[in-house]
Amino acid sequence: MDSKREQNLVIKGGTLLDALSGEQSRADIRIRDGKIAELGSNLPDDGDFVYDASDRLISMGWMDMHVHFREPGHEHKETINTGCKAAAFGGFTAVACMPNTDPPVHTRDVVEFIVKRGRETPVDVYPIACVSRDRAGKSLAEMADLKAGGAVAFSDDGSPVYDGGLMRHALEYASMLERPVINHMEELSLNVGGQMHEGAVSTRLGLAGIPGLAEEVMIARDILIAEFTGGPVHVAHISTARAVELVRNGKARGIPVTAEVCAHHFSLTDSEIERHAFDTHLKMHPPLRPASDVEAMKEGLKDGTIDAICTDHAPHASFEKEVEFIAAPFGILGLETAWGLIGRELIRPRVLSVVNAVAKITVAPRKILHIPLPELTPGNAANLTIFDAETTWIFEERHIHSKSRNTPFVGAEMVGKAHAIYNRGYLVQNLV
Amino acid sequence: MNVTQTDQQINTRLAHDHLLGLEGYSSEEIELVLSTARRFREVLYRPIRKVPTLRGITVVNLFFEASTRTRISFELAEKRLSADTVNFSTSGSSVLKGETLKDTVQNIEAMKIDMVVVRHRSPGAAHFLTQCVSSTIINAGDGAHEHPTQALLDLLTISDRFGYVEGLNVTIIGDIMHSRVARSNIHGLTTLGANITLCGPPSLLPVEVESLTDRDNVHVTSNLDEALEGCDVAMALRIQLERQGSNRLPSLREYHEQFGIKMSNMNQHKDLVIMHPGPVNRGVELASEVVDHERAVILDQVTNGVAVRMAILFLLSGHADVDQT
C-alpha cells in the first residue's frame, strides 16, 4: 500500500458513480489543495500528479459504521493507525469505532483522544461513545458532552443496553441530541455461555448455542421503546431472518429504527464451523447463522430493511485465537474483505446493483450518523474511493493490513477491488 | 457387518491417524477395534497382566477436566501394554498460570513423547491438538462433543452380550444435550446398524436433535415408557447434579420419577439390558436395585473400557504392522 500526501492531482478516465442519484458519468477530477476543483472530460494535467482511473469507478468515500480499533487499551490487537491502514486498503475513507476500549469511550477526553489519533491518518475516524458510564449499563454517560467532543452515536457495543429503563432514557436523551443509540441486540438470559448459533451444527458439535431468539427478543423490545420514546434506535449487526422481519415491520409502522449487517453474515453459514473443524476464525458475535438467515440478510438488503453494510472489524492477536474453541474471543477482521464479499455475494449474483451496494457503505451510514455526505462536487473536500466491481482475486495473508490476522477469508475468492482512496489530502493506493 | 478374514489390509489398519471421535469411523474400523479389544481383554485375565506391545512408547494422559474412571482406565491400558506413561491432571492450573493449551502440549511434546490422551471441556480440543503437535491424539472426552472410547466400550459390551449390533434397539436416556457419550454412541451405533431412540426432557434435548445423525433410524421421545417399548438396551446417561440450578430440571426427584429406570421397568421388560457410563447417581438415573440388577452390565463396561483402550492405543501407535502378542 502506498500512502502519500498529494494535495494536487488529476484523476483521469474514471466513471463517477453518484451513490445518491444512481447516475454514472465519465469525468476526470481535478483536486487542488485537497478539494475537488473541477470535473470534466480530458482535463489537462497542468503538471500535477495523474492517477489513471481507466476502467475504474469512483464514488464518494466509503464508510464502515462499525469497527473496533482497540485503542486505547488493547493496542496489541489494533491501533487507530493500523486500523486505518486496513480501512484504506478496503476502500474506506471513514469509520465509526466502537467504545469498548480500556478505558471505554465514556468521557469526553477519550472521545477527543480518538478524534486526535484519527486525524493522524488519511481516514476519518468517528467515535461512537458509550451509552452508560463505564459501559456498565447502570447509569447514563454524559451524552451531550460526548457529542460535543465528537461522538456520532451512542452504544455499549460488546454488551447490550440490557436495562429497559436505561434504554428508554437513553433514547429519550438521544432524540434531543439527534443521534442514534446503537444497540448490541442480545437478551443475555437467553444466551448461557453460547459459542455459536444454536441449531443443527451446534447440536452435532456439542457447542453451547446462541439462539437467534436472544437477538430477536431484544430487537422487539427496542423497537417498542423507540416507538414509545421517538428516539432513533440502530440495530447493530443484525443476523437472523426474524430480526429482519421485526425491523421491516417497525419501519412500516414509521418507528425510527435502522439496521446494519456485517459482510460475514451474508457470506458464511454456521456449517463452516463444522467444515473447518472448530476453526476459531469462524467464532464471532452474533454468530454465523444457517443458510435461511443468510438469505434473509440478502432480502433485507434488497428491500431496504437493512440500511447499511458494516464489518464489525474485531481484531484479536493470533495467540488469543490459537486456543481451544470455547476459550477464543469472539470476532474477526472485516475491513480488508468487505468489498470483495459484497461483490461476491451481492453484486455478482445480482442481489444489489453496484450503486445500491455502494449506497449501503456511503450514504446510509452517514445518514444514520448525521455525517455530511462528501459528494463529488467542486468545492467539497475530496473524499473518494476508486474501485471496480468485477476483478476476481484471491484474498491472501499479505493483503491483511490490520495488526491482527484473525480472518477466515485467507484463500477465499473476492469479487471487486478497491484500488485507492483519496481523503484529507492523501492518496492511498492499493498496489497489491 | 463382519470384517472378512481374507482382507488382511483392512483388517489390521485404521484409516485414521488419531481418534478424535467416532464420527467418520467406518464399520470396518470399529469392528477392527472391537476384535482387537477382545484379544487384548484376554491379557487382563492372565496371571501376569502385561504384554510388551508398546514398550518404548510414551503416552501422556492430559486431563484438563476431573476424571477418575477414564483416566485410570487409560492408565491401566497403557501399563498393560508396557507403555511409559505420564499423567498431567489439572482442572485449570495451567490456565491459572496463563499458559495456553497449545503451549502446554507443545512443551510436553518437546520432552519427546508419542501419544497424547486428552480430556478437555472444550468441544474440538482434541482436534485442536492435532494442529499444535505431531503426536497421535486420542480424545478422552471433549466437552459435549465426543467420547469415542466410551462408545467403543459400549459397542463391545453390546456386541458381546447379543452377538451382533445391527438391528438392535438402543435407547439413550437423559441429558442428551450435554452428553459426549450420547453423541459418540449415536455415531458408533448407527454406523453398526442399530436403531436408536433418544429420550429425555425437552429442556435437555438439543435443538434439531434429529440432525445428530444423517441416518433415519433415530427416534426421539420424552416418554420413558414409549422409549423402553421394544428396547433391547437402555443406556442411562449421568445427570450432572449442577443441572438442577440451570432451570433445565426442577429437581432430581422429579427427574427420577419421569426418566429414572425403576424395578417396575425391569419387571415389565424381561430382556432389557441396562448400561450406564458411570459414575451412577443411585436413585436418579437408575433405581439402586437396577444398578445391581443381573441385567445391568455396568461393570462389564468398565472392564471392556480397559480392553478397548488397549486396542486403540495399539492400533494408533504405529506398531499395528508388527504382529502383536
Side-chain angles (χ1 to χ4, degrees), chain A residues 192 197-208 274 276-278 290 319 321-327, chain B residues 23 100-102 120-125 127-128 131 142-145 177 183 187 206-209 211-212:
Chain A
V192 184
H197 173 72
E198 182 172 350
V201 182
S202 69
T203 288
R204 282 197 293 274
L205 296 180
L207 284 166
E274 190 167 34
H276 294 285
F278 303 95
F319 75 85
K321 277 287 197 180
E322 285 173 7
V323 294
E324 63 275 20
F325 200 86
I326 65 170
Chain B
E23 185 177 13
T100 64
L101 177 56
K102 180 180 176 176
H120 197 284
R121 70 190 186 92
S122 179
H127 191 280
F128 174 66
Q131 297 166 346
D142 61 330
H145 180 226
M177 176 179 283
R183 282 175 180 77
H187 291 305
V207 297
E208 302 190 47
V209 58
S211 69
L212 281 173

Side-chain angles (χ1 to χ4, degrees), chain A residues 132-412:
Chain A
S132 65
R133 263 173 226 270
D134 299 314
R135 214 172 62 84
K138 300 287 183 209
S139 59
L140 288 181
E142 293 179 331
M143 291 165 69
D145 202 30
L146 291 164
K147 180 190 170 186
V152 291
F154 302 94
S155 179
D156 281 353
D157 186 55
S159 309
V161 179
Y162 191 58
D163 184 301
L166 185 72
M167 187 63 177
R168 171 189 170 170
H169 298 312
L171 280 175
E172 286 167 345
Y173 213 79
S175 66
M176 167 182 86
L177 301 172
E178 295 185 309
R179 287 291 181 275
V181 173
I182 303 174
N183 205 4
H184 166 114
M185 299 293 184
E186 185 181 3
E187 167 52 54
L188 297 172
S189 67
L190 288 169
N191 172 16
V192 184
Q195 301 291 321
M196 66 171 293
H197 173 72
E198 182 172 350
V201 182
S202 69
T203 288
R204 282 197 293 274
L205 296 180
L207 284 166
I210 303 169
L213 184 65
E215 177 173 331
E216 294 146 8
V217 165
M218 198 54 122
I219 292 176
R221 183 201 78 171
D222 280 0
I223 289 175
L224 292 173
I225 298 176
E227 181 175 31
F228 185 82
T229 60
V233 67
H234 179 73
V235 177
H237 40 53
I238 198 166
S239 72
T240 80
R242 251 185 229 97
V244 172
E245 192 53 39
L246 287 164
V247 173
R248 187 176 286 128
N249 292 343
K251 285 187 166 184
R253 281 159 48 214
I255 298 167
V257 55
T258 52
E260 65 184 28
V261 62
C262 302
H264 50 263
H265 283 128
F266 57 70
S267 303
L268 297 173
T269 65
D270 61 342
S271 61
E272 294 293 307
I273 298 169
E274 190 167 34
R275 200 158 74 85
H276 294 285
F278 303 95
D279 184 352
T280 58
H281 288 156
L282 297 163
K283 180 176 177 180
M284 69 285 285
H285 199 112
L288 297 176
R289 305 286 190 187
S292 53
D293 288 325
V294 170
E295 280 312 304
M297 296 307 113
K298 295 176 182 173
E299 276 307 307
L301 282 164
K302 200 171 182 171
D303 72 10
T305 302
I306 301 174
D307 303 84
I309 295 170
C310 68
T311 68
D312 197 3
H313 181 84
H316 291 292
S318 296
F319 75 85
E320 295 166 320
K321 277 287 197 180
E322 285 173 7
V323 294
E324 63 275 20
F325 200 86
I326 65 170
F330 292 92
I332 61 169
L333 304 182
L335 283 163
E336 294 99 327
T337 50
W339 181 249
L341 293 172
I342 289 170
R344 188 181 88 186
E345 302 296 329
L346 304 177
I347 297 173
R348 186 170 65 180
R350 299 183 183 282
V351 175
L352 293 181
S353 64
V354 176
V355 69
N356 284 343
V358 168
K360 304 276 186 195
I361 51 174
T362 53
V363 178
R366 290 186 176 93
K367 281 198 165 166
I368 292 165
L369 300 174
H370 298 265
I371 294 168
L373 298 178
E375 293 186 68
L376 301 178
T377 40
N380 278 354
N383 176 338
L384 53 86
T385 301
I386 304 171
F387 64 102
D388 75 65
E390 306 96 30
T391 301
T392 297
W393 55 294
I394 300 296
F395 187 74
E396 293 170 16
E397 185 136 345
R398 67 194 171 92
H399 296 128
I400 299 173
H401 287 75
S402 166
K403 198 167 186 177
S404 292
R405 292 285 174 275
N406 53 313
T407 169
F409 294 112
V410 170

Side-chain angles (χ1 to χ4, degrees), chain A residues 40-115:
Chain A
S41 51
N42 300 316
L43 293 180
D45 58 34
D46 284 359
D48 292 337
F49 178 83
V50 175
Y51 181 96
D52 179 6
S54 305
D55 302 323
R56 290 175 181 177
L57 300 167
I58 303 168
S59 71
M60 72 171 85
W62 299 346
M63 174 164 195
D64 181 351
M65 67 180 295
H66 192 141
V67 302
H68 297 268
F69 278 179
R70 307 305 190 196
E71 190 179 354
H74 305 114
E75 292 86 353
H76 69 286
K77 299 172 193 267
E78 193 81 286
T79 63
I80 290 168
N81 186 271
T82 58
C84 286
K85 284 180 179 159
F89 175 86
F92 293 93
T93 65
V95 295
C97 53
M98 283 296 177
N100 56 338
T101 48
D102 185 17
V105 189
H106 68 147
T107 51
R108 183 166 175 171
D109 56 321
V110 189
V111 173
E112 288 172 347
F113 166 80
I114 290 167
V115 170

Side-chain angles (χ1 to χ4, degrees), chain B residues 262-273:
Chain B
K262 299 165 268 292
M263 281 305 292
S264 58
N265 302 117
M266 299 304 286
N267 294 333
Q268 191 186 344
H269 303 283
K270 296 292 184 196
D271 297 315
L272 181 64
V273 172

